[in-house]
């Protein structure tokens, strides 16, 4: 083998000194006469981390190169060897200080090999642990995978080195126990965990040493990480050393041990202890942040929590001796083959790795699969090769040494096994982000506030500056104004002085004249006087001007106010006019409705009478029935409530009181009072009382004195009602009622007033005793005067009055009174009678027909009637009148009058 195999510099100082080397450099002589190539800077002594088999490669690097470290341990002679080999020297000679081993070939020749550590038969278990395993354990605690293996011939002390429990003698404790001691001492029970599995590989089958029934466990390889695990094996958490020792003992008890010729205790199985160490690396994180100072605050915060997983694999390999030497028989031969299958596969892999071969036959055996990352993988690996001293086993010892030498050339890429907890990192980051967002918001707010404050300060300062500036400007202006005024004043004074001088000069002459004229007043006095009066004049004029200005202003204001008032007045006037128009309209409507009602009532009454009795004599009292009809309707329409309330009023207030209200100052009150009285007068029972209480007089006074059309109308209506009673009729006449009614008839224009007046007169016309007086006081004339109105209701009342009057005359005539020509004819009623004898309105026509009949009954009227054209009307009535009683009456009248008969004969008219 070439020394050029040292590929990794100083730390890889491993070499094999062969005889050929002697030839190359014969001057370099060893004690045994061989030349030795010095081991490059292999440090001696035991130092943590930087020494030991694993050397001083930077452990904190996530990935470092590392060579498989190999130590050789020599077992002391056992009792048998003491005897058997008593005459022979050991086959090896150790030079531990030089880390060399000499393998004697014969008495004069030997091969020298250099190892990372050479452990003599006197090496304590403690020292073996420290140089072989401790650096690996420390690596595991730092998150690397680590492997410690013992390789050697059966009985050379592999189990002694690795698995000794040291219960009798603490100093005997092997690597497994000591490793666990160190691990447990270093981990923190709260945050870290230690799990252990213990299995054996026997005849290519993995068996759980903690549960032997759990057999043929499969090996699982993580395709991503390449991690190898035996998930089927029992994992036991280790919390204390004692439980671990118990576990090892249990495993040992289960360990299959075959009795072999070489050593009854020896095992032909591979025992595999796996220790899984999981650590959280808080301590390291803190160290990092403290190193970097405050600036690294964020780095720390954003660092995901680290969990370091280290795996320590301790492999107690089966004996490496050749089958033929093991003395195996029967199935144990197969056994030996299987044992060697795994071992020879391991050897092949190591050879391939040592030679940098592109193909490493890892998959050839279960052992190599299990140790895949221990050799040429990502673990720190330490191999201890055990040898015995006996020259009888020289061959085995040689091969063991050669195995170890090859293993020293295997390089591992050591990777730290760190896992990032991204979930909790994300959580942390979220929290951090939220904190930052909140902080940012706060800062923004503060910033905005600051900006606002600065802006408002600036604004204030600007305002202040502006104010100062305008103040200064104003002061400046005032100052200029003052200066200007003073200058003006000075100039004026100057001017006045000049003027005075000039005036004085001018006055010299007149002054002389004045003196000459003997006025006796000094010119200066005069001037002063004049000036004074002038000044007075000026101030007066100024005052006057001011006054004028003020007055003008006032006038303007007044005009404005007036204009406003005028528009208001116009508006109000307009409103008033509208109101009046509305009122007139309503009144007209009421009038029309009233007249329609009267007409209908009258017609109904007449129809009823003619149907009931056919008595023409009583038709003349039309108004009586009309009024009572109206009254009846009114009371009926307004309901019992009004009737009752009026009666109640009558009782409570008293008639006298009501009548006194007729003279009230208030027109409204008068109107209401007269309405109430009119309503009362419609009741026959009240009529006498009203008249007795002076109501008639009051009503007549009202008729005479009032200018209110409505009062006159209602009063006339009331009088008309009262005039239905015979005794009242006399009273009315006695109190000059007819002249008052005549006056009203003459100047009233309202058809309803005229209707009432005409009605009242018509009632009076029906009184036999009052005929002459009535006619004498102008009653008939007043009645006829009202036809000018043309309203059928008025005309009907006029016709009724005429009919009443004619009836009374004919009655008097039939009772034998000596009467002259009818007063109606005297007062010129006949033309109107004839004219309206065939009036379209039946109430008018009926009354006139009756009047004609009554007039015709009095012979003295016949001549006038014939000449007035009344005869023709009588004939028509006697022939065509729809009412039979009137027709008969007309006929009888015509027959009974000789004058009419003669005329009819003359005219050859048959009747
Ligand atoms: P292996 O496991 O390699 O077959 P063992 O560890 O069983 O060998 O050792 C065989 C015998 O040798 C045991 O009795 C053991 O106590 C003893 N032995 C091995 N190595 C030493 C040593 N370094 N010091 C004292 N006794 C040892
Ligand atoms: Mg053993």
């Amino acid at each position: 083998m070439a020394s050029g195999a040292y590929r990794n510099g100083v730390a890889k100082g491993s070499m094999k000194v062969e005889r050929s080397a002697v030839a190359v450099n014969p001057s370099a002589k060893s004690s045994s006469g061989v030349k030795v190539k010095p081991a490059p800077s292999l440090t001696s002594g035991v130092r943590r981390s930087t020494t030991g088999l694993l050397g001083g490669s930077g452990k904190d690097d996530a990935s470092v190169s590392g060579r498989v470290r190999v130590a050789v341990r020599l077992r002391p002679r056992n009792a048998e060897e003491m005897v058997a080999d008593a005459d022979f020297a050991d086959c090896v000679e150790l030079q531990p200080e030089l880390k060399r081993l000499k393998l004697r070939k014969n008495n004069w020749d030997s091969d020298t090999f250099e190892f990372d550590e050479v452990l003599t038969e006197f090496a304590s278990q403690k020292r073996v642990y420290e140089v072989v395993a401790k650096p690996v354990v420390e690596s595991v605690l730092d998150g690397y995978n680590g492997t410690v293996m013992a390789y050697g011939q059966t009985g050379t002390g592999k189990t002694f080195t690795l698995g000794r429990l040291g219960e009798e003698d603490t100093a005997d404790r092997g690597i497994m126990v000591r490793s666990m001691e160190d691990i447990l001492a270093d981990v923190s029970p709260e945050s870290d965990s230690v799990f252990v599995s213990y299995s054996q590989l026997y005849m290519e089958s993995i068996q759980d040493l903690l549960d032997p029934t759990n057999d043929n466990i499969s090996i699982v390889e993580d395709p991503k990480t390449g991690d190898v695990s035996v998930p089927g094996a029992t994992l036991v958490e280790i919390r204390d050393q004692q439980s671990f020792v118990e576990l090892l003992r249990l495993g040992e008890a289960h360990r299959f041990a075959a009795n072999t010729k070489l050593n009854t205790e020896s095992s032909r199985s591979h025992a595999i202890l796996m220790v899984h160490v999981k650590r959280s690396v808080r301590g390291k994180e803190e160290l990092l942040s403290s190193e970097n100072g405050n600036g690294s605050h964020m780095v720390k915060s954003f660092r995901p929590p680290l969990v370091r997983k280290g795996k320590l694999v301790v492999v107690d390999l089966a004996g490496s001796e050749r089958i033929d030497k093991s003395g195996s028989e029967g199935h144990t031969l197969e056994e030996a083959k299987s044992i060697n299958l795994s071992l020879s596969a391991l050897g092949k892999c190591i050879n391939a790795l040592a030679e940098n071969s592109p193909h490493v036959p890892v998959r050839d055996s279960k052992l190599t699969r299990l140790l895949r990352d221990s050799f040429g993988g990502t673990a720190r690996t330490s191999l201890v090769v055990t040898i015995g001293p006996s020259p009888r086993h020289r061959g085995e010892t040689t091969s063991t040494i050669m195995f170890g030498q090859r293993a020293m050339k295997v390089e591992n890429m050591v990777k730290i096994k760190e896992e990032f907890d991204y979930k909790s990192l994300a959580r942390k980051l979220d929290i951090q982000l939220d904190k930052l967002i909140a902080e940012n918001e706060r800062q923004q707010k503060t910033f905005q506030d600051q900006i606002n404050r600065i802006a408002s300060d600036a604004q204030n300062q600007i305002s202040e500056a502006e104010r100062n500036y305008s103040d200064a400007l104003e002061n400046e202006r005032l100052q200029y104004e003052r200066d200007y005024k003073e200058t003006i004043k000075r100039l004026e004074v100057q001017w006045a002085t000049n003027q005075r001088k000039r005036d004085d000069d001018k006055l010299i002459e007149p002054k002389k004249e004045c003196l000459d004229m003997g006025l006796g007043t000094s010119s200066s006095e005069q001037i002063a006087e004049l000036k004074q009066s002038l000044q007075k004049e000026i101030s007066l004029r100024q005052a006057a001007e001011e006054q004028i200005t003020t007055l003008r202003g006032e006038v303007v204001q007044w005009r404005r106010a007036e204009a406003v008032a005028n528009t208001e007045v116009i508006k109000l006037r307009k409103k008033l006019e509208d109101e009046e128009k509305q009122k007139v309209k309503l009144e007209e409507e009421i009038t029309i409705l009233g007249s329609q009602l009267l007409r209908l009532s009258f017609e109904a009454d007449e129809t009823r009478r003619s149907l009931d009795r056919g008595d023409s004599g009583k038709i003349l009292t039309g108004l009586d029935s009309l009024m009572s009809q109206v009254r009846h309707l009114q009371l009926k329409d307004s309901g019992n409530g009004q009737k009752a309330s009026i009666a109640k009023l009558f009782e409570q207030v008293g008639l006298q009181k009501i009548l006194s209200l007729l003279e009230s100052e208030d027109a409204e009150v008068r109107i209401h009072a007269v309405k109430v009285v009119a309503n009362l007068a419609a009741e026959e029972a009240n009529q006498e009382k009203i008249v007795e209480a002076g109501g008639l007089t009051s009503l007549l006074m009202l008729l005479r004195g009032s200018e209110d059309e409505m009062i006159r109308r209602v009063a006339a209506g009331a009088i008309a009602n009262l005039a239905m009673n015979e005794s009242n009729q006399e009273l009315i006449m006695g109190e000059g009622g007819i002249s008052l009614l005549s006056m009203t008839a003459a100047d009233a224009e309202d058809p309803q007033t005229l209707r009432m007046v005409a009605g009242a007169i018509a009632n009076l016309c029906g009184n036999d005793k009052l005929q002459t007086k009535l006619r004498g006081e102008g009653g008939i004339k007043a009645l006829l005067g009202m036809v000018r109105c043309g309203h059928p209701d008025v005309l009907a009342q006029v016709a009724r009055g005429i009919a009443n009057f004619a009836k009374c005359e004919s009655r008097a005539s039939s009772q034998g009174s000596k009467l002259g020509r009818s007063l109606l004819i005297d007062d010129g009623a006949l033309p109107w009678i004839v004219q309206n004898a065939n009036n379209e309105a039946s109430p008018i026509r009926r009354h006139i027909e009756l009047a004609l009949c009554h007039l015709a009954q009095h012979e003295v009227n016949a001549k006038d009637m014939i000449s007035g054209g009344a005869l023709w009307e009588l004939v028509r009535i006697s022939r065509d009148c729809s009412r039979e009683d009137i027709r008969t009456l007309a006929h009888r009248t015509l027959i009974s009058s000789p004058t009419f008969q003669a005329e009819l004969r003359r005219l050859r008219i048959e009747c």
Side-chain angles (χ1 to χ4, degrees), residues 152-168:
Q153 194 183 0
T154 300
T156 51
K158 299 186 293 294
T159 305
F160 183 89
T161 302
L162 299 176
R164 236 357 220 262
L165 300 179
E167 283 170 310
E168 296 95 357

Side-chain angles (χ1 to χ4, degrees), residues 246-447:
E246 291 298 331
L247 183 139
L248 284 183
R249 193 189 287 122
L250 179 73
E252 207 53 47
H254 291 142
R255 197 171 174 190
F256 185 82
N259 187 19
T260 67
K261 215 162 73 179
L262 292 172
N263 190 319
T264 50
E265 287 177 28
S266 286
S267 165
R268 279 181 276 171
S269 68
H270 310 282
I272 303 149
L273 175 79
M274 285 188 178
V275 183
H276 303 269
V277 182
K278 193 169 158 188
R279 313 190 75 186
S280 71
V281 276
R282 204 183 309 123
K284 200 168 183 185
E285 203 175 81
E286 278 160 13
L287 182 74
L288 180 83
S289 75
S290 72
E291 271 170 11
N292 294 346
N294 286 337
S296 72
H297 171 75
M298 297 300 234
V299 176
K300 181 200 165 191
S301 302
F302 290 140
R303 226 181 143 85
L306 276 176
V307 175
R308 287 189 178 167
K309 286 177 178 174
K311 184 176 78 177
L312 175 68
V313 182
V314 183
V315 187
D316 186 356
L317 292 165
S320 60
E321 63 275 9
R322 290 205 307 270
I323 299 162
D324 56 333
K325 276 212 168 181
S326 69
S328 301
E329 288 170 8
H331 87 277
T332 51
L333 184 63
E334 278 304 305
E335 213 178 48
K337 275 180 190 167
S338 287
I339 293 160
N340 272 10
L341 175 71
S342 273
L343 267 183
S344 59
L346 179 66
K348 280 175 195 163
C349 286
I350 282 174
N351 285 343
L353 286 163
E355 285 159 24
N356 244 352
S357 164
H359 177 68
V360 181
V362 176
R363 306 199 68 81
D364 281 3
S365 74
K366 286 203 170 153
L367 180 69
T368 48
R369 281 175 64 196
L370 260 179
L371 298 175
R372 201 176 84 138
D373 56 358
S374 299
F375 280 99
T378 56
R380 291 182 183 279
T381 304
S382 199
L383 174 70
V384 60
V385 289
T386 53
I387 51 172
S390 173
R392 288 176 290 154
H393 301 303
R394 187 193 303 274
E396 290 302 337
T397 304
T398 305
S399 76
T400 299
I401 287 166
M402 293 315 287
F403 181 87
Q405 284 291 295
R406 284 195 299 276
M408 281 182 77
K409 291 173 187 167
V410 173
E411 269 190 59
N412 282 341
M413 281 299 284
V414 184
K415 276 187 194 147
I416 194 160
K417 294 284 179 180
E418 283 180 349
E419 275 182 18
F420 292 97
D421 188 347
Y422 286 104
K423 270 188 192 166
S424 69
L425 172 67
R427 236 183 351 261
K428 263 189 185 172
L429 286 176
D430 266 356
I431 294 163
Q432 186 67 25
L433 187 67
D434 281 345
K435 269 186 193 162
L436 286 172
I437 287 168
E439 182 57 33
N440 180 261
E441 203 182 4
R442 270 194 291 276
Q443 279 179 359
Q444 262 187 358
K445 177 80 178 68
T446 318
F447 182 66

